[in-house]
Amino acid sequence: QVHLVESGGGLVQPGGSLRLSCVASGRTFSRLDMAWWRQAPGKGREFVALNWDESKTYYTESVKGRFTISRDSAKNTVYLQMDGLKPEDTAVYFCAAGENTKDRGYEFWGQGTQVTVSS
């Protein structure tokens, strides 16, 4: 199995920035597709960003130009840099991972970290 632990959430004002981290263990990190999902209060879980093959990325339209996903293979860590935060970004953010996620989906999930954007 793969164990995922998120950190870096907190309270930030609109227009501010946060960087989320997700540390993976239990499997060769380079083989994993890594993604961020989020769930706002009373809403369903929403895809946010994907990183695979070390540097390839894909984002949902609502965060393009504001969020950046990246990984540091030496630390088995994936990051989500969030800039220009908006109140509608408020959610619990989850790290997700798997191999061949196009075919198998995301097999492993972290516990989530809360991001609150409010003045």
Side-chain angles (χ1 to χ4, degrees):
Q1 292 189 340
V2 175
H3 299 276
L4 305 173
V5 180
E6 304 99 331
S7 63
L11 175 65
V12 64
Q13 294 185 348
S17 298
L18 283 174
R19 188 180 73 161
L20 306 183
S21 299
C22 173
V23 179
S25 62
R27 188 177 294 183
T28 302
F29 185 66
S30 62
R31 297 179 61 88
L32 292 170
D33 299 342
M34 302 292 296
W36 290 96
W37 292 64
R38 66 187 181 187
Q39 187 166 20
K43 304 291 185 179
R45 193 166 295 185
E46 175 191 24
F47 170 80
V48 177
L50 171 67
N51 171 259
W52 77 104
D53 288 347
E54 190 65 35
S55 61
K56 295 178 180 177
T57 61
Y58 177 78
Y59 302 91
T60 192
E61 291 183 3
S62 64
V63 307
K64 287 181 179 178
R66 299 190 298 121
F67 291 10
T68 303
I69 187 171
S70 62
R71 73 171 70 195
D72 185 340
S73 295
K75 296 183 177 181
N76 286 3
T77 301
V78 64
Y79 303 98
L80 185 67
Q81 177 67 44
M82 303 184 293
D83 299 316
L85 284 162
K86 304 175 181 180
E88 51 262 45
D89 294 318
T90 295
V92 177
Y93 283 71
F94 297 90
C95 182
E99 294 186 10
N100 302 313
T101 54
K102 180 180 179 181
D103 296 326
R104 303 183 66 184
Y106 295 95
E107 304 171 66
F108 310 104
W109 295 80
Q111 297 183 45
T113 185
Q114 177 71 47
V115 172
T116 302
V117 184
S118 176
S119 60

